[in-house]
Amino acid sequence: MNVYQVYWRIQYRRTNRYWREVGVAPWVGYLVSGGLFLSISAGLFSRTGFAPYLYASLAVFTLSLFNDRQRTSFLRQLFLQKSYYQLRLVENTLVSIPFLSVLMFYGDHLVAFVLLALTLLLARIPDIWKSDWVMPTPFGKKPFEFARGFRASWPLFLLIFLLLLQGVVVGNEELALFSVGCVFLVAMGYYQPPEPVFWVWLFRMRPAAFLQHKLRTGLVQASVLAALPALLVLFAFPGYWQWLVLVFLAGYLFLALLILGKYAAYPTPISMPQAILFALCIWFPPALLVMLPFFYRKALRAVAPILV
Amino acid sequence: MIILQHVHKAYGRHQVLSDVDATISPGMVTGIVGANGAGKTTLFRCMADLEPYEGDISYRGETLRPHLGYVPTQPFYLSRLTAREYLQLLLVANSLPVPDLEQRNIFTLPLDNYASTFSTGMQKKLAIWGVLLLQKPVYILDEPFNGVDIESNMLLTEVILRLKAQGKTIVLSSHIFSTLRDICDVIYHLEEGTFRQKVERDQFDALDQAMRKVHIGTRLDRFFEEE
């Protein structure tokens, strides 16, 4: 067995292990996630014209996770340079294939082409993530999720601003509003995976105060991130301020749901049943009225043994 | 005073701590020695409430946790957070104001670099500096001298002695017996999850000799004779 075979076998085992950890048999996990991907794709592409952009953004975000510095350093230790690039190319292509297929199926060839180019490019130039340069952020006063999350996800903000500018230039207010919503989507990614227990333990707060601190910090810092795109939307489409308020409200509610959901499952990652409840809230937003207090109470119980 | 009464800890069937009893006096430096796997880190994690355990650990009749500054044996830093941000988070998490960190940078650490990229020794120094900023009455330092350079080693020794002079209670472990001998008032010998001996300062040499006999024995004599 060569080193490639060992590598892919390990990845397969790790994925299976992940499914078991979240409480489902691996084959069920593959089947359900594949089915969910296809049904969400069909739903999205039939409902909104932003689906291709959303898909490209999601794919690039996922690819950026594969370019994590520690990960690439580890791989470079294992493989020769040529093999390393081949492996990264295969990995990136595997990640992009589902997104590319859906984009091609719905005839969005231009977006698919751009995504394919980025897929190949990101496999070749991981060094943009290798720098020791510390990106300044406005989140230093209350650092953690947003400070490190923004440093990991800044390329996505380039995409978001491109979307926003396109919306403004062509006079498509929905696209501009969607790009503001994307800021909240990216911010939600900052809360996974859960941090090690020590990083919760170091808070000298009661569980309720801890959760309120996390919610307050999350909502304030998400507002800071979304402020500039929101101002641009207001400037370009002043008549749409009510829609902007709605986007912010939805962003706040879903961010709060994710924060509470994370600590409800803590210290383990969000489980499959929880993810289904999240999906239910996306499908039927009034469910948030039940889910937010439900996850809040669960989170209180989960963090209580770790905090004072 | 920290009181440990009948502390037990098991991972599944593996008993790590077994009936640990101790009374740790305030304003003193208490050392814990023991071989790898003796249970030192587990004991410290239990004292910090990072592990569930059986038995009782109290400080002045209360739970120890709120009064404690704890430095783990291998501090873990999340990626893409600078040393300054780590300290800020620590202070915010404890509802404390953030002082002028540049001025209080006793270990001259590069504050605006990512803490996760620091060397082992620098990470340790950052963790120690962090708990010092919290100004707690009790400090538990798990292997504080591990990976720390000689200059910082001297500085750290002085820090511990100054904390003691301020009446703080310090509990620490080390693999280096000479380090413990220099700064500790009392040393507990932990073996197979239980305290075998409590030794006062005037008996440290005897403990050192006894441990050498146990841990080295005649193994080296035989090895070198064979050569």
Side-chain angles (χ1 to χ4, degrees):
Chain A
M1 197 183 294
N2 66 33
V3 70
Y4 283 114
Q5 287 168 316
V6 173
Y7 179 77
W8 291 114
R9 188 166 286 204
I10 288 172
Q11 297 310 317
Y12 177 65
R13 280 187 190 159
R14 285 183 68 207
T15 315
N16 288 351
R17 211 172 285 155
Y18 167 78
W19 288 120
R20 285 190 203 100
E21 278 170 11
V22 297
V24 294
W27 69 270
V28 177
Y30 292 118
L31 209 67
V32 169
S33 53
L36 272 177
F37 183 79
L38 289 176
S39 55
I40 290 172
S41 304
L44 267 177
F45 275 81
S46 63
R47 282 178 178 206
T48 168
F50 316 130
Y53 305 111
L54 178 66
Y55 265 59
S57 311
L58 267 177
V60 172
F61 178 65
T62 315
L63 291 172
S64 73
L65 298 178
F66 281 71
N67 267 352
D68 176 78
R69 186 185 176 183
Q70 277 181 327
R71 186 175 185 280
T72 52
S73 304
F74 175 69
L75 291 178
R76 278 169 190 272
Q77 285 169 23
L78 283 181
F79 299 98
L80 296 173
Q81 189 163 338
K82 192 181 165 196
S83 315
Y84 165 81
Y85 283 125
Q86 283 172 350
L87 183 94
R88 291 286 299 109
L89 209 59
V90 174
E91 274 185 339
N92 277 13
T93 311
L94 283 175
V95 170
S96 291
I97 279 175
F99 296 97
L100 286 169
S101 311
V102 172
L103 287 169
M104 295 294 283
F105 179 79
Y106 287 99
D108 290 297
H109 298 111
L110 183 64
V111 183
F113 176 76
V114 173
L115 176 58
L116 182 64
L118 284 171
T119 302
L120 305 180
L121 199 69
L122 287 173
R124 290 294 302 180
I125 50 163
D127 293 354
I128 53 171
W129 272 265
K130 267 191 78 177
S131 165
D132 275 335
W133 177 66
V134 175
M135 179 184 281
T137 75
F139 311 114
K141 293 274 180 219
K142 284 188 179 174
F144 182 16
E145 291 91 351
F146 276 73
R148 58 193 301 261
F150 182 73
R151 286 171 182 143
S153 65
W154 62 265
L156 286 178
F157 285 91
L158 297 180
L159 275 174
I160 287 172
F161 273 95
L162 276 177
L163 275 185
L164 180 58
L165 287 179
Q166 194 190 349
V168 171
V169 169
V170 302
N172 185 340
E173 56 284 329
E174 287 182 9
L175 181 60
L177 284 168
F178 172 74
S179 64
V180 178
C182 281
V183 174
F184 286 95
L185 279 178
V186 173
M188 286 177 208
Y190 299 167
Y191 287 87
Q192 287 297 323
E195 66 272 31
V197 170
F198 184 76
W199 286 72
V200 171
W201 177 90
L202 57 81
F203 279 81
R204 201 187 159 199
M205 292 179 186
R206 300 242 164 242
F210 171 78
L211 290 177
Q212 283 156 20
H213 166 81
K214 286 284 177 187
L215 286 170
R216 205 168 38 243
T217 309
L219 300 186
V220 169
Q221 297 192 337
S223 307
V224 172
L225 266 185
L228 186 57
L231 283 173
L232 280 172
V233 171
L234 268 184
F235 182 73
F237 310 105
Y240 278 76
W241 67 269
Q242 299 99 323
W243 286 98
L244 192 64
V245 170
L246 205 66
V247 169
F248 263 71
L249 191 65
Y252 287 150
L253 287 173
F254 280 102
L255 185 62
L257 182 73
L258 201 98
I259 294 171
L260 294 176
K262 168 188 167 177
Y263 289 109
Y266 198 79
T268 54
I270 287 172
S271 65
M272 184 58 99
Q274 265 185 312
I276 291 169
L277 290 179
F278 287 175
L280 176 75
C281 290
I282 295 169
W283 205 252
F284 184 64
L288 280 168
L289 293 172
V290 178
M291 291 305 165
L292 281 168
F294 169 71
F295 280 124
Y296 181 73
R297 277 196 297 273
K298 265 194 100 172
L300 279 179
R301 281 198 297 273
V303 297
I306 305 162
L307 294 165
V308 174
Chain B
M1 186 176 287
I2 304 168
I3 298 173
L4 292 91
Q5 284 179 305
H6 310 301
V7 176
H8 290 264
K9 172 72 191 171
Y11 294 107
R13 287 181 183 177
H14 178 52
Q15 193 76 31
V16 184
L17 297 175
S18 156
D19 206 20
V20 175
D21 280 302
T23 302
I24 296 168
S25 305
M28 292 182 92
V29 183
T30 302
I32 312 282
V33 290
N36 292 334
K40 301 186 293 288
T41 295
T42 305
L43 177 64
F44 286 169
R45 285 178 62 83
C46 290
M47 289 173 80
D49 263 346
L50 274 162
E51 297 278 353
Y53 59 90
E54 286 174 44
D56 191 47
I57 298 173
S58 63
Y59 172 74
R60 292 182 176 171
E62 296 174 27
T63 171
L64 173 60
R65 162 80 192 282
H67 309 282
L68 178 68
Y70 168 61
V71 174
T73 182
Q74 281 177 319
F76 174 82
Y77 297 96
L78 296 166
S79 60
R80 298 191 189 88
L81 270 190
T82 64
R84 187 189 300 278
E85 288 168 345
Y86 166 71
L87 294 172
Q88 273 170 335
L89 174 70
L90 195 65
L91 291 160
V92 167
N94 284 270
S95 310
L96 291 170
V98 181
D100 183 350
L101 294 173
E102 301 286 355
Q103 222 174 27
R104 305 188 70 179
N105 191 351
I106 47 171
F107 294 113
T108 59
L109 290 166
L111 281 175
D112 294 313
N113 287 15
Y114 289 141
S116 58
T117 63
F118 282 2
S119 67
T120 310
M122 285 164 81
Q123 291 193 349
K124 199 93 192 194
K125 285 190 270 186
L126 178 60
I128 292 167
W129 183 20
V131 295
L132 289 179
L133 288 172
L134 299 181
Q135 301 194 354
K136 301 279 186 172
V138 181
Y139 293 94
I140 291 182
L141 312 174
D142 197 353
E143 299 284 353
F145 298 96
N146 235 10
V148 171
D149 57 45
I150 191 155
E151 185 192 334
S152 303
N153 199 313
M154 290 160 72
L155 194 61
L156 186 53
T157 305
E158 190 57 33
V159 165
I160 291 169
L161 294 175
R162 288 212 189 182
L163 288 173
K164 181 189 161 187
Q166 287 179 355
K168 314 262 185 185
T169 306
I170 300 118
V171 186
L172 55 93
S173 67
S174 178
H175 285 112
I176 309 160
F177 193 83
S178 57
T179 311
L180 291 179
R181 192 166 46 191
D182 291 345
I183 53 173
C184 290
D185 299 297
V186 179
I187 294 178
Y188 282 90
H189 181 206
L190 189 68
E191 196 177 82
E192 292 173 355
T194 197
F195 284 140
R196 295 281 180 217
Q197 271 179 294
K198 177 188 176 185
V199 179
E200 306 280 340
R201 181 169 270 282
D202 57 346
Q203 298 162 307
F204 282 176
D205 284 338
L207 175 65
D208 188 18
Q209 288 304 318
M211 284 178 64
R212 277 172 192 274
K213 210 170 173 181
V214 171
H215 296 303
I216 301 173
T218 55
R219 273 180 286 179
L220 287 183
D221 296 340
R222 269 181 284 154
F223 178 82
F224 283 107
E225 269 169 24
E226 279 167 18
E227 275 202 340

